[in-house]
Amino acid sequence: MVADRSSHTLRHMTLITQDLGPTEQGLAQAVTLLRAGGLVAIPTETVYGLAGDARNGTAVARIYAAKGRPHFNPLIAHVADLAMAEELAQFDERARALAAAFWPGALTLVLPLRDGAGLSSLVTAGLPTVAIRCPAHPVARDLLRAFGGPLAAPSANPSGRVSPTRAEHVRQGLAGRIDAVLDGGPCVVGVESTILGLDGPAVLLRPGGIPLEALEAMLGPIALGGNAEKPNAPGQLESHYAPDAPLRLNVTQPAPDEVWVGFGPGTEAAPLTLSRRGDLVEAAANLFQLLRDADVRAGDAGRIAFAPVPDTGLGRAINDRLRRAAAPRPPAARPLAARPVQP
Ligand code: TXA
Ligand code: MG
């Protein structure tokens, strides 16, 4: 087991962040840490999540602290199966049908919280609803079964920054702030789950790994509503998923100082590409790694420019993340945790 000491300057203690493998021993160690209120970054098929015991208020508070998350945004409770989910929330027929069709998978359902669910109120941020997801990654499923309870897990990145799709991304952002990283390889979906509000008429709260079209095929038309990242200011984009370099979208003619990221035919000249053949599934899987690669190539002075991506299927989630990555960045939106402090 490799461990290192991070040199981050923090308001709280620097931890030794353990590297765990997806083995019986690694899973057992992760369960032990989680039962003790520790934080373990875990692989899911969408992005890596920063997991803590959803019933333990101290553990959940530590998740917010480790991410430098400025407000108490509600978190997703991850479950092993539908039975565990039904202990937390009230499922109606729509919710059961969606769970049957898309779980385990990249769909999060926001449902009325059940009395006696036992979740820390920090998970729901005091709301009468709870967001629940049953992830499909085999390591996440094994861990949830072995842990035997719900795990709260936001994406395992410092608040506002690019989401992690590999264990090494987690380590780059959070080493020294969490107890362990459980390595399950690269995330195959590559964008976060789709969030569907079901505490009334169905409403899309965040586009993600399950295309809206697939949900509408079951439920009929779904309202595009709310803004899961900033519920009180609809339409206003908060900087999120942000690399260091400035970012421009829908670019067909990049400037000389721009690292161009292509998509599909007509962008063969781009040094980086979401997908040469214009495949949205491949593009989603590559998105966050490419934001990191483009950032490195851009260096201190350069900028990043993305070619247009169609706004259908997974393209809706890709464009949502890119718009947030390109949003204006007020100084307060660049948290202290954004860059490792040099020793
Ligand atoms: O794919 C994913 O969903 C990943 C992996 C780790 O599962 N998780 C993730 O979590 O993206 P996070 O915390 O980065 O995003 C959760 C979103 C937040 O924007 C939050 O506002 C919304 O879910 N959310 C959580 N509970 C909610 C609720 N009760 N009502 C409305 N939105 C809620
Ligand atoms: Mg996130």
Side-chain angles (χ1 to χ4, degrees):
M1 216 180 306
V2 185
D4 73 11
R5 265 178 205 285
S6 150
S7 56
H8 295 233
T9 303
L10 297 174
R11 288 168 299 235
H12 45 93
M13 230 167 55
T14 297
L15 299 169
I16 293 173
T17 300
Q18 299 176 43
D19 287 315
L20 305 177
T23 58
E24 218 168 286
Q25 196 196 352
L27 284 171
Q29 179 66 7
V31 168
T32 301
L33 288 167
L34 290 166
R35 292 224 170 103
L39 302 187
V40 180
I42 62 166
T44 84
E45 73 280 22
T46 58
V47 301
Y48 274 75
L50 181 54
D53 183 348
R55 298 160 301 190
N56 178 335
T58 310
V60 180
R62 289 186 62 216
I63 294 177
Y64 285 97
K67 280 181 67 81
R69 197 153 169 157
H71 356 262
F72 290 109
N73 264 351
L75 305 177
I76 297 172
H78 294 71
V79 295
D81 50 34
L82 182 61
M84 197 187 279
E86 294 215 31
E87 287 172 20
L88 305 179
Q90 297 164 32
F91 277 66
D92 60 16
E93 268 178 41
R94 293 171 307 173
R96 283 206 189 92
L98 287 163
F102 297 104
W103 280 2
L107 177 66
T108 294
L109 301 176
V110 174
L111 296 166
L113 181 63
R114 198 168 167 143
D115 283 342
L119 293 174
S120 157
S121 60
L122 282 178
V123 172
T124 53
L127 294 171
T129 54
V130 58
I132 305 187
R133 177 163 105 82
C134 176
H137 195 295
V139 175
R141 303 203 72 199
D142 287 348
L143 179 69
L144 280 160
R145 268 192 294 260
F147 181 67
L151 291 172
S155 51
N157 51 294
S159 185
R161 306 313 303 267
V162 179
S163 299
T165 50
R166 292 168 184 266
E168 73 206 58
H169 300 162
V170 176
R171 180 162 278 287
Q172 283 159 16
L174 295 177
R177 320 187 113 204
I178 65 178
D179 295 287
V181 182
L182 181 55
D183 191 341
C187 303
V188 295
V189 175
V191 291
E192 291 85 347
S193 61
T194 301
I195 304 182
L196 188 69
L198 279 184
D199 55 327
V203 50
L204 183 77
L205 297 174
R206 178 178 72 185
I210 300 289
L212 179 62
E213 292 86 341
L215 302 178
E216 290 191 320
M218 276 191 68
L219 296 183
I222 293 172
L224 307 183
N227 179 340
E229 306 289 351
K230 200 174 184 188
N232 295 326
Q236 207 179 319
L237 280 185
E238 195 173 14
S239 174
H240 207 120
Y241 309 103
D244 285 324
L247 197 132
R248 210 156 65 86
L249 306 183
N250 297 315
V251 175
T252 49
Q253 299 286 336
D257 68 333
E258 282 178 330
V259 177
W260 196 26
V261 184
F263 177 84
T267 63
E268 291 80 6
L272 299 174
T273 185
L274 283 161
S275 167
R276 281 271 174 245
R277 60 176 195 273
D279 177 334
L280 288 168
V281 173
E282 182 183 37
N286 286 336
L287 176 66
F288 290 132
Q289 177 71 53
L290 273 173
L291 274 170
R292 291 165 192 270
D293 292 346
D295 208 13
V296 169
R297 278 189 182 237
D300 287 338
R303 297 180 296 156
I304 303 170
F306 272 80
V309 176
D311 211 28
T312 57
L314 288 184
R316 202 184 291 273
I318 294 169
N319 284 321
D320 171 79
R321 306 304 186 269
L322 286 176
R323 279 193 295 271
R324 292 175 199 281
R329 303 167 197 173
R334 303 303 297 274
L336 248 176
R339 287 163 179 273
V341 175
Q342 298 305 315

